[in-house]
């Protein structure tokens, strides 16, 4: 465990330290596209954060290769090299897309090629544990097609959910944490060395996300771009493929005792079929809904819109940060709920806990519809969104007397409530070119709201 934690920390440190220089490079290179109609941010922000994440991945694998115990993963398996090969290819395509906007079909083909590269080097699904049937060996073509499909679905699911500051990195970090605990349990408790690569991949993926999140939280100073979202999606898929199709269920020796005990003991075997789905459940649901929505409208499945789950949370009335935290909550509930069930499937408390937390999540979703208002005597102690709104006549009189206070203005335009979001949505959105003043009240933008004015971007 110490070596896994050391690998995680090294990956996070390298990613964190490189993200700042990468941001400056992205600004100089002009990887700051104009704001599109579907974007949530208001100022052009540099992309290419995937560059720092890729070098963090390389650093983590390099350190693991020189550690006493983790070195055996590289000696007994070719999966780390397969992952690095596929990651380098998909990262290169992502960098080009962040700069030059590559066509969606070209990116899809590159994703399939990256998955094929990993399959050629041994990172593929060899068998599947099917409930009621047992372990089913797959042919080479079956394993290849299933592997490529899982990689492409996971990459695009993560890419689709990358729409708010810190959303994709945080959700993947939560999913990889649950997956690390699951893979480590198989490797340590059952003594199955075939689960070691998946455990290593999950630890490195956590480090990549943890190192990048401080720069990407709202307001984001840099975006990971497709170079980052496709990269972490591929690493997440690689871990799922490794533990699903490489670990032989027969090695666990679970077919002993009564039939009832065997059913409960076989849960860790069948969980690999569900765990890869639970860790991307929210992004996958967003992906499926987007495809159905766009196809129903007669549009291409790759056509961008503002109908994703995080966009809907903003329309309901949630603030940017609260929408991200709600998505975190549901990702953690699904991933760690499946993990807890794999440890003790016979416990009713786990089911009741998941049901209770689901109810809490539903209340959080509907919170803007039932925003409480504090009494008059307590208004000085609560945020403006919880204060009672003044009557129109009172506001008119205050404006006539020039007595309007900044707090009243903040209350009237509070975006944390449904009314504030509706007012904000009515405001016309227009692209703001890089380095050009956005008009009255909008200073010349230089890439991020969290950084002061700099002269690194040529104006004009």
């Amino acid at each position: 465990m110490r070596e896994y934690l050391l690998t995680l920390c090294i990956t996070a440190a390298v990613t964190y330290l490189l993200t700042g220089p990468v941001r400056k490079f992205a600004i100089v290179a002009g990887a700051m596209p104009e704001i599109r109609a579907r974007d949530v941010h208001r100022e052009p922000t540099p992309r290419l954060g995937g560059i720092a994440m890729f070098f963090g991945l390389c650093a983590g694998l390099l350190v693991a290769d020189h550690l006493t115990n983790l070195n055996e993963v590289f000696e007994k398996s070719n999966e780390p090299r397969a992952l690095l090969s596929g990651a380098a290819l998909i990262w290169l395509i992502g960098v080009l897309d962040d700069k030059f906007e590559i066509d969606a079909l070209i990116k899809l083909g590159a994703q399939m090629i990256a998955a094929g590269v990993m399959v050629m080097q041994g990172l593929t699904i060899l068998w599947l544990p099917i409930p009621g049937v047992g372990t089913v060996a797959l042919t080479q073509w079956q394993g290849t097609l299933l592997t490529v499909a899982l990689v492409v679905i996971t990459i695009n699911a993560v890419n689709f959910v990358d729409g708010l500051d810190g959303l994709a990195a945080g959700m993947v970090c939560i999913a990889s944490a649950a997956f690390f605990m699951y893979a480590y349990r198989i490797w340590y408790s059952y003594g199955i060395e075939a689960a070691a690569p998946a455990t290593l991949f999950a630890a490195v993926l956590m480090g990549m996300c943890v190192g990048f999140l401080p720069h990407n939280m709202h307001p984001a100073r840099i975006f990971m771009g497709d170079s980052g979202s496709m990269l972490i999606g591929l690493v997440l898929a690689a871990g799922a493929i490794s533990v699903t199709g490489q670990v032989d269920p027969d090695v666990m020796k679970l077919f002993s005792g009564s039939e009832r005990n065997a059913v409960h003991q076989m849960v860790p075997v069948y969980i690999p079929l569900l765990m890869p789905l639970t860790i991307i459940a929210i992004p996958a649901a967003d992906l499926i809904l987007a495809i159905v929505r766009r196809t129903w409208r007669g549009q291409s499945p790759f056509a961008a819109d503002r109908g994703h789950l995080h966009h809907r949370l903003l329309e309901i009335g949630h603030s940017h940060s609260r929408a991200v935290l709600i998505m975190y909550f549901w990702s953690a509930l699904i991933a760690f709920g499946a993990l807890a069930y794999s440890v003790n499937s016979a416990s009713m408390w786990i089911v009741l806990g998941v049901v209770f937390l689901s109810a809490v999540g539903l209340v959080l979703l509907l919170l803007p519809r039932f925003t409480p208002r504090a009494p008059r005597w307590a208004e000085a102690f609560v945020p403006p969104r919880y204060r009672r709104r003044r009557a129109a006549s009172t506001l008119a009189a205050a404006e006539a007397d020039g007595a309007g206070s900044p707090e009243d203005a903040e209350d009237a335009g509070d975006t944390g409530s449904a009314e504030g979001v509706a007012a904000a949505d009515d405001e016309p959105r227009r692209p703001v070119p890089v380095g050009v003043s956005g008009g009255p009240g909008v200073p010349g933008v230089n890439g991020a709201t969290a950084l002061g004015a700099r002269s690194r971007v040529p104006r004009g």
Side-chain angles (χ1 to χ4, degrees), residues 68-79:
T68 304
N69 295 321
L70 292 184
N71 178 257
E72 298 180 0
V73 177
F74 295 83
E75 294 179 351
K76 298 180 179 179
S77 173
N78 198 41
E79 293 182 15

Side-chain angles (χ1 to χ4, degrees), residues 375-447:
R376 294 291 185 185
W377 59 269
E379 287 185 350
F381 306 99
V382 296
R385 67 170 62 95
Y386 300 113
R387 301 173 187 173
R388 299 180 183 273
R389 300 183 183 277
R390 295 186 180 183
S393 58
T394 307
L395 287 176
E399 290 178 359
D401 297 338
S405 63
E407 292 183 354
D408 297 333
E410 184 181 359
D411 188 18
D414 178 28
T415 57
S417 62
E419 295 86 356
V421 171
D425 289 342
D426 293 338
E427 180 183 348
R429 298 174 60 89
R430 59 185 179 86
V432 182
V434 179
V436 180
S437 175
V442 181
V445 292
N446 289 281

Side-chain angles (χ1 to χ4, degrees), residues 189-203:
S189 299
Y190 294 99
I192 301 177
E193 294 294 334
T199 312
L200 175 62
F201 297 165

Side-chain angles (χ1 to χ4, degrees), residues 160 286-305:
F160 271 48
D286 194 14
L287 172 64
I288 294 173
L289 291 175
I291 294 175
V292 173
R293 179 177 63 252
R294 295 166 184 174
T295 305
W296 183 264
R297 295 175 180 173
Q299 300 175 342
S300 169
F302 302 102
D305 58 17

Side-chain angles (χ1 to χ4, degrees), residues 129-149:
I130 306 298
V133 178
T135 303
V136 177
L138 302 178
T139 64
Q140 182 178 359
W141 281 106
Q142 290 173 339
T144 300
L145 291 176
L146 190 57
T147 301
V148 172

